[in-house]
Amino acid sequence: MIKLLMKICLPKGVSAEDTKYRTCTGRLSGIVGIVCNLFLFGLKFLIGTLSGSVSVTADAMNNLSDASSSLVTLIGFRLAEKPADEDHPYGHARYEYLSGLAVAGMILVIGFELAKTSVSRIITPAAVEMSVPMLLCLVGSILIKLWMSLFNTRLGKHIDSAALLATAADSRNDCISTFAVLLAALLERLLDWHIDGYMGLAVAIFIFYSGVSMAKQTISPLLGESASPELQKQIVRLIKEEEAVLGYHDLMVHDYGPGQRFGSLHVEMDQSLDALWCHELIDNLERKCHKELGVHLVIHYDPIVTGDTELDEYRTFLSDTLARYDSRLSLHDFRMVRGTGHTNLIFDIATPHDLIKQEKSIRQALENALAEHYQGTFYLVITFDWGEALES
C-alpha cells in the first residue's frame, strides 16, 4: 500500500532532494494524515460521547490535533518550496521547521486542556459503558496509526525530513496512548476499576510530553545547531581525497532548511604550489561537495610553509603533545618567528566545547613539554577555536 501510494503520487525521474519532490512528498503525507485523523476523530468522539468515556474523548481530541498538525505540515512544505528572493537570499526552506514548531504549540495547548478535563473526571468519576463498537474502534485506531507511523517513516527517510520522521514518531506514540485507553476500558468492564480519568490524564501528559519533544527538535535548527557528526565526516572524507590538501579546520555549516545548507572550511596547502592551480582545485571541491552532499561549501585557502625542518619538528612535537593531552585537540595555521632572544610559535588549536575551561591547562602543558625537550625561550601565541573539533 505504501509503495503504491508513493508510485502514484510522487513525481518520477526526479531526485529526492529536489524541492518540488519534497513538496509532493510533504503534500502526500499531509493529505493522508488529514483524512485518517479526521476519520478517527469523528469515530472516537462519537463513541466516547455515547459511552461517557473521557479517555476515549481525549484520544479523539488527540486525533483532531494530529489532523491539524498534518494541515500545518502540508502548508509548511508548500511555503518551503518558495525560491530565494531579495529579502530571503537563502530561500524559505525553514518554513518546514516553523510548521513543526506551530504543530508543537497546538499539541501543548490540547494536552493542557485534556489534562483539566481528566482531573475533573478523577474528582467526580462516572461509569464508562464498554461496548463492541468501542472495542473495534480502538483496535482499528491502533492498526491505522501503526500503518501511518510506517508510512511517514518511509517518506521521512526517503527525503531525509525531520518533520516527517517526527510525524511518524507521533503516530507511533498514538498507538501507545490508544492502547492505554483500550486497557482502561477493559479493566473497568472486567474488574470494575474506575480509572478512566486517570488514563485520560496519562494520555494528556503523554501528548504534552510529545509536544515538548517536538518543540525541542524544531527549535534547535532554528537557533543554529552544529552540523551532524555524520555530515562533518562526509565533508572531511571528501576533502581528504585530494592529496594536495595537507590539513583542514574551522568547518561551519549553517542550516537554512532541508536542501539549503551553507558551509565554510579552511584547507591548508603547500605555499609553493601555483595559486591559480590551487584556486581551480578548491572550486572543484566546492562543486563536488554541493553535488554529492547538497552543501554549498566555501573553502578558504591557507598556504603553509613546508620543507622547513625546524618548523616541521616543532609543529609535530606540539601536535603530539596536544594528542596526549586530549586526542580531539589539533593545531593549524602554524607559524614560527625566530628572534635573537626567543622564538614565537604562533598557531590555532581546534578545541571542543567541553574543554572550554582548560585553556590555561592546555597552554601550560605545551610550555612544560617545550621546556623539557628544547633549549631556549619560546613564547606561545595561541588562538583557541572553540567548537566541534574535526576528526582527522
Side-chain angles (χ1 to χ4, degrees):
M1 181 64 174
I2 296 175
K3 289 183 178 180
L4 180 61
L5 281 174
M6 293 177 66
K7 184 177 181 180
I8 294 174
C9 301
L10 298 182
K12 300 175 179 61
V14 182
S15 169
E17 295 184 358
D18 184 83
T19 303
K20 291 186 177 180
Y21 191 93
R22 292 185 67 87
T23 302
C24 290
T25 306
R27 183 186 301 121
L28 174 60
S29 172
I31 292 174
V32 170
I34 291 170
V35 172
C36 291
N37 283 304
L38 284 180
F39 170 75
L40 290 175
F41 162 72
L43 190 60
K44 288 181 185 177
F45 188 79
L46 176 62
I47 291 179
T49 302
L50 294 176
S51 64
S53 171
V54 70
S55 58
V56 174
T57 304
D59 206 32
M61 297 304 296
N62 185 28
N63 290 134
L64 180 61
S65 74
D66 289 340
S68 302
S69 301
S70 297
L71 177 61
V72 172
T73 301
L74 183 63
I75 296 173
F77 270 94
R78 179 60 180 169
L79 292 175
E81 185 185 18
K82 294 175 61 179
D85 54 33
E86 185 177 351
D87 294 328
H88 305 89
Y90 299 108
H92 298 78
R94 279 186 174 176
Y95 269 120
E96 188 174 326
Y97 298 148
L98 291 173
S99 67
L101 187 59
V103 168
M106 296 167 60
I107 291 175
L108 290 173
V109 171
I110 290 176
F112 179 74
E113 292 299 324
L114 292 179
K116 290 198 303 182
T117 304
S118 299
V119 169
S120 176
R121 177 55 62 91
I122 292 173
I123 296 173
T124 56
V128 176
E129 182 182 347
M130 179 61 177
S131 63
V132 173
M134 179 192 290
L135 179 64
L136 294 177
C137 170
L138 295 178
V139 172
S141 175
I142 292 173
L143 295 177
I144 291 174
K145 280 294 184 177
L146 180 60
W147 178 84
M148 290 178 66
S149 177
L150 296 174
F151 175 66
N152 284 297
T153 298
R154 179 73 175 272
L155 293 182
K157 290 183 177 179
H158 187 56
I159 64 171
D160 190 23
S161 170
L164 294 186
L165 290 176
T167 302
D170 188 43
S171 295
R172 180 200 62 211
N173 294 341
D174 288 342
C175 291
I176 299 173
S177 62
T178 302
F179 178 77
V181 173
L182 175 61
L183 181 63
L186 290 174
L187 289 176
E188 183 150 344
R189 175 65 180 269
L190 297 175
L191 303 176
D192 198 30
W193 290 356
H194 297 290
I195 61 173
D196 182 56
Y198 294 98
M199 281 297 185
L201 181 59
V203 172
I205 294 173
F206 193 76
I207 293 172
F208 196 85
Y209 174 78
S210 298
V212 171
S213 299
M214 186 180 295
K216 288 181 179 179
Q217 292 174 1
T218 54
I219 288 175
S220 184
L222 288 172
L223 291 177
E225 64 182 0
S226 61
S228 68
E230 180 58 33
L231 179 59
Q232 290 194 42
K233 290 179 182 178
Q234 290 176 329
I235 294 175
V236 168
R237 186 162 51 244
L238 184 148
I239 297 298
K240 287 175 65 176
E241 290 176 356
E242 179 50 60
E243 294 181 0
V245 175
L246 304 178
Y248 43 85
H249 55 89
D250 291 348
L251 171 63
M252 293 185 291
V253 179
H254 306 279
D255 188 346
Y256 289 91
Q260 293 293 327
R261 292 177 296 187
F262 297 81
S264 60
L265 176 72
H266 290 223
V267 297
E268 297 177 345
M269 303 174 71
D270 192 334
Q271 68 168 0
S272 64
L273 294 175
D274 181 74
L276 292 177
W277 183 86
C278 292
H279 181 271
E280 182 179 359
L281 182 144
I282 286 174
D283 276 350
N284 291 335
L285 286 175
E286 290 172 344
R287 292 189 184 96
K288 187 176 182 182
C289 185
H290 182 254
K291 180 180 180 181
E292 296 184 7
L293 304 178
V295 178
H296 303 268
L297 186 66
V298 176
I299 300 177
H300 176 78
Y301 166 47
D302 283 343
I304 62 171
V305 177
T306 60
D308 186 323
T309 304
E310 186 180 15
L311 183 146
D312 289 342
E313 180 182 347
Y314 286 133
R315 177 165 47 202
T316 301
F317 177 80
L318 292 173
S319 293
D320 292 342
T321 304
L322 284 174
R324 287 194 296 271
Y325 186 95
D326 191 301
S327 61
R328 295 171 296 168
L329 295 171
S330 62
L331 64 82
H332 57 85
D333 288 339
F334 187 85
R335 290 175 289 142
M336 180 171 64
V337 179
R338 301 174 179 89
T340 56
H342 67 272
T343 299
N344 287 337
L345 300 179
I346 308 166
F347 53 93
D348 296 358
I349 299 179
T351 317
H353 283 295
D354 59 309
L355 299 181
I356 198 168
K357 296 182 179 180
Q358 299 186 33
E359 179 178 331
K360 291 183 179 179
S361 177
I362 295 170
R363 180 186 293 274
Q364 190 64 53
L366 295 176
E367 291 176 348
N368 291 341
L370 284 169
E372 290 176 6
H373 289 80
Y374 295 100
Q375 298 295 324
T377 303
F378 296 91
Y379 291 165
L380 301 184
V381 182
I382 305 174
T383 299
F384 287 89
D385 293 337
W386 300 106
E388 295 295 330
L390 296 178
E391 293 186 9
S392 57

